[in-house]
Every structure is written in structure tokens, then in C-alpha cells.
Amino acid sequence: MEGSQQHPRLILRNFLSLDVCKELEFIHKSCCTVGYRQNVFSTTLSHLIATNSSHLIIPFVPIRERLKEKVEEYFGCEYELFVEFTGLISWCRGASIGWHSDDNRDYLKQRDFAAVCYLNNYEVDFKGGLFHFQDGEPSTIVPMAGDVAMYTADNKNIHSVDEIMDGERITLTLWFSRDASHDEDAKLISLLSDLPSDSPKSVFASYLPVAASNKMYSFPPEEESGFDIRCARLHVLGFDLYFSDEESSLSALDSSYYLPELLRESLQLVLGDKLLVWKFVNILHAVQMVQFWHWKASELKTTEVKALSTDVIIPLSKTQQLKINSQKLVLLKDPQLAETFFGGVTGRNNLQQLFDLDWVSFSDGVSEWEAYTSKLQKEMLMSLPYWISHQSIFSLVHFHQGV
């Protein structure tokens, strides 16, 4: 669906596959921090690098190329554009924005075009959040997974977004610029160049996530009440945390000052009265694993009912349960607020029932996550020398096809 010369825009249906949308949703829910607006959360590529998750950039690469090519083709500026920004952005209950253009600040004047890819569905995953153009047609976009809206970033395409009433509206958003000094690739490659160039004995271990500043995960920002985003993501799927280190756990209970340190330590996951045997190096590791399982649950779910193995789960003692409940008071101050923002339209009860029914598939998911991560790591290690040499981020598949 095309706009007019006065209001140049292009709406493409099913530009991204549902599998790609789900993968990007997994990355966002695993890694996001407090965003740039009220009740908005974001995942940037620079943040992935900073948290030792640079391999998760790989799924973005072919999408960025396709979007850039389509924008250049439709708006008649082949080989002129640079990606200025790439980010996953979610809008939760209460988030909205009034009429504006995307270049409406002096520090945004470099933006020439925008591309907004919708990763989930209106009225299914969230309510509210319709996108409106002030003038021209189409005047309203109903977000549906896989669709993309491309438009000029100037006042020819002034737009707004309705308030989110429920759920979480997730997009992949890119801006493009003709100004080479705002090329996102150059900035990302500079950050990536600082990564270790030699493969350690265990490549997998070198890519376990590392938390950023605790403030980046604290919502609402600068407030004592609320929740840690990472804890909230686990909570809405029915999980609690268990720290086996007695000394550090007690310190955390004495004062929330120790919260950042505690969340960087080894931990285990709990669901109901069951303790999982796996130990995660920190909370980001646990969140990535759980969100991966949630993404792949339908593929991993076993068709036969299998007996629960004592090698996988351990019943909790009353002492352990009391300890977990006490820790939650520090780690998740406002569970209801977390459920309001991240619980989604479907709620958490169905998800908890799903986990209760099939621990075996979760065990399989741990292995699948390791394989998925290892594959992306290897691709990153192969791609980085080419990116540094060409000072551009691109898919090696397309590169070798063009040679």
C-alpha cells in the first residue's frame, strides 16, 4: 500500500516471517532495558555488545539489509543511505505519543527515513497502540506481525500512536540517514573491535551475558517501588529465583544496596514448589534461557507424558521456600505492576500450566539454547573480520554470492 507524492510512505504486508518476528521478540524480552519514553522498553545493538551478547546481532543483519534496499528502491535513493539506528522497542500500558515527525528535534535532523516492523498483533498481544498519520492515506495502520511501515522522517509524515491499554506492543524500528557521519555500522564495529579476537578454550563461556548497570533494569526509573525488568520477565512466566550462596542472600535481604551484586551471582530457577537443578551464571543467563524456551515451546513440547526426573527437579524444603519469598520482597517489589506491564493479554496462568505439564521439554530447551547460541557465536566470529575490513555490517551469504 503506497502513499502519495505529498505524503510518501509504503506499507508492506508480511515483510517479515512469523518465525523472524518470534526470534526478535525473544531477543527483546531477554535483553531489554528501560526505554526513552514513559512505559517504553528498548533493546539496542550497542546494548547487546555491552552485555556480552553481541552474537544476538546476527539475526538483525539480513533484515537491516532488506529494509535498507527497499527504502532506497522505493524512495529513489539507491546507495545513498546509512542505517542511523536499529532497535527493538516495546510499548506497554499507558505508553503513547502525540503528533510528531521523526526529525522534530535538532539532534534528530539527520534522520531521513523510518521503517517500523511490527512483531506482534493488535488485539491479540496488546490492545490500543494504533498508528495514525495526520494526513494522506493510509491514515491508520493496524499493527500485525510481519508488516512494515516505511515513510519519510519529515513533516510530510506527521504521525501518532494511541495509548496502549493492555499487553506489550513490540516493534523493530530503523531510521536511515544520508549523512555518513551518523552511520550506525561504524559505531557498532568500533565496539565489536574491542572484543577478544582469539577464540578461548570455551567460546560458549566467553559469550555468557553480563549485566549492565542495575539502573537500566529498574522500573519505574528513579523510584524505590516497582520492579527489576529481568525479575519481572521471569515472574510473569511463573518463575522465582533461588540463590544457594547463603551469605550473599542474607546480605541482599539486609539491604537492597546488594541487589546488583546478587543478580550477578549464580542462581537457580524455581517454579511453584520445584527447584530446577541447572545453575545459571547470572540473571541475564536465566532470562535468556527461559525466553528461548518460551519461544521454542511448541517445537520442544513432548508428545508423550514422561515421569518427572529427580535429575531435573528437586522439591523445595519449607526453609528454602521461606527464603525465596523473602528474597522476592527485595528483587520484585511490586509483582502486580510487573504483571500489568509484562503479563500480556493472555495472562500468566496458561503459561504456568504449560510449564507444569512438561519439564522434559524445558530440559531439551537448555541444550537447544546452547546450540543456538553457539551457532550465532561462530557466525559472529566469521563475520567480524569482514565487517572490520569493509567498515560495514552485512551478511556473508550475500557477500560471497556477489564475489
Side-chain angles (χ1 to χ4, degrees):
M1 189 180 301
E2 300 184 16
S4 63
Q5 188 173 1
Q6 292 77 23
H7 307 288
R9 65 188 65 141
L10 176 65
I11 316 301
L12 296 174
R13 306 298 180 190
N14 303 311
F15 183 82
L16 299 180
S17 70
L18 293 182
D19 286 343
V20 167
C21 291
K22 288 295 183 183
E23 183 173 20
L24 295 178
E25 182 178 348
F26 147 70
I27 293 173
H28 181 64
K29 290 185 176 181
S30 299
C31 305
C32 75
T33 62
V34 173
Y36 57 95
R37 299 184 63 82
Q38 184 176 8
N39 301 351
V40 170
F41 302 88
S42 66
T43 304
T44 65
L45 302 191
S46 59
H47 175 72
L48 294 177
I49 298 171
T51 53
N52 215 38
S53 298
S54 59
H55 55 283
L56 292 177
I57 290 175
I58 293 297
F60 292 86
V61 175
I63 303 170
R64 291 167 93 245
E65 289 182 324
R66 287 182 62 206
L67 287 169
K68 180 172 174 289
E69 289 171 3
K70 180 58 68 174
V71 168
E72 289 180 330
E73 174 191 332
Y74 181 74
F75 294 102
C77 47
E78 284 86 355
Y79 309 110
E80 293 182 17
L81 299 183
F82 302 89
V83 178
E84 188 258 352
F85 174 87
T86 306
L88 296 168
I89 302 170
S90 63
W91 297 50
C92 295
R93 182 180 293 189
S96 66
I97 188 169
W99 296 116
H100 69 287
S101 64
D102 286 350
D103 68 349
N104 65 346
R105 298 286 187 272
D106 288 340
Y107 60 86
L108 301 178
K109 291 300 182 183
Q110 72 278 1
R111 292 181 174 175
D112 293 303
F113 302 97
V116 179
C117 303
Y118 297 102
L119 304 183
N120 57 359
N121 296 301
Y122 174 74
E123 290 291 335
V124 176
D125 302 297
F126 59 90
K127 298 182 185 299
L130 291 176
F131 183 106
H132 303 285
F133 285 109
Q134 191 173 54
D135 300 294
E137 296 294 334
S139 59
T140 297
I141 297 175
V142 178
M144 300 299 290
D147 293 353
V148 59
M150 302 175 178
Y151 51 90
T152 59
D154 57 15
N155 58 13
K156 293 180 180 179
N157 280 296
I158 293 174
H159 56 279
S160 66
V161 177
D162 289 345
E163 181 178 342
I164 306 298
M165 307 308 295
D166 193 18
E168 186 174 10
R169 174 187 185 268
I170 307 176
T171 64
L172 168 65
T173 301
L174 280 77
W175 281 285
F176 302 91
S177 176
R178 291 188 175 91
D179 187 344
S181 68
H182 291 277
D183 182 8
E184 182 182 46
D185 284 14
K187 300 170 186 176
L188 296 175
I189 290 170
S190 177
L191 294 173
L192 289 166
S193 298
D194 293 333
L195 296 177
S197 58
D198 296 329
S199 177
K201 292 181 180 179
S202 174
V203 174
F204 172 72
S206 71
Y207 277 83
L208 291 172
V210 176
S213 167
N214 192 58
K215 291 183 178 180
M216 298 184 70
Y217 303 102
S218 180
F219 181 86
E222 309 300 331
E223 292 188 20
E224 291 297 326
S225 61
F227 57 79
D228 180 277
I229 295 171
R230 300 159 296 183
C231 296
R233 289 291 187 191
L234 293 172
H235 171 74
V236 298
L237 294 179
F239 285 97
D240 291 318
L241 304 176
Y242 178 73
F243 300 89
S244 56
D245 187 328
E246 294 288 344
E247 184 176 348
S248 63
S249 298
L250 291 173
S251 297
L253 295 177
D254 292 338
S255 172
S256 59
Y257 173 80
Y258 293 98
L259 178 60
E261 288 74 17
L262 187 60
L263 294 176
R264 288 189 174 96
E265 294 180 4
S266 174
L267 59 88
Q268 290 170 265
L269 291 172
V270 174
L271 184 62
D273 60 353
K274 300 178 179 67
L275 175 68
L276 278 70
V277 297
W278 295 281
K279 287 192 176 182
F280 300 92
V281 297
N282 55 42
I283 191 170
L284 283 184
H285 184 199
V287 173
Q288 285 191 16
M289 179 57 245
V290 169
Q291 292 295 341
F292 181 85
W293 188 93
H294 186 218
W295 167 32
K296 295 291 188 178
S298 60
E299 298 175 27
L300 294 168
K301 190 157 182 62
T302 56
T303 56
E304 298 179 2
V305 178
K306 299 181 181 180
L308 294 177
S309 171
T310 55
D311 294 334
V312 176
I313 60 172
I314 303 170
L316 284 174
S317 67
K318 289 184 179 180
T319 301
Q320 288 173 321
Q321 189 64 66
L322 288 172
K323 178 179 174 181
I324 290 166
N325 292 338
S326 297
Q327 289 172 350
K328 185 184 282 190
L329 295 175
V330 176
L331 298 171
L332 194 68
K333 299 181 184 69
D334 193 338
Q336 290 186 337
L337 185 63
E339 291 166 22
T340 296
F341 278 83
F342 296 150
V345 175
T346 58
R348 67 190 289 242
N349 292 332
N350 291 337
L351 289 168
Q352 181 157 342
Q353 291 172 6
L354 184 62
F355 279 99
D356 282 335
L357 288 172
D358 192 8
W359 286 99
V360 178
S361 67
F362 187 86
S363 178
D364 293 339
V366 173
S367 298
E368 289 292 326
W369 178 81
E370 291 176 358
Y372 169 83
T373 302
S374 178
K375 178 183 176 182
L376 294 185
Q377 291 163 3
K378 290 177 181 177
E379 190 168 347
M380 171 60 76
L381 290 172
M382 289 177 56
S383 301
L384 188 53
Y386 290 91
W387 295 352
I388 294 173
S389 174
H390 292 78
Q391 284 298 292
S392 177
I393 293 176
F394 54 88
S395 170
L396 289 191
V397 174
H398 297 160
F399 176 75
H400 290 307
Q401 287 176 346
V403 173

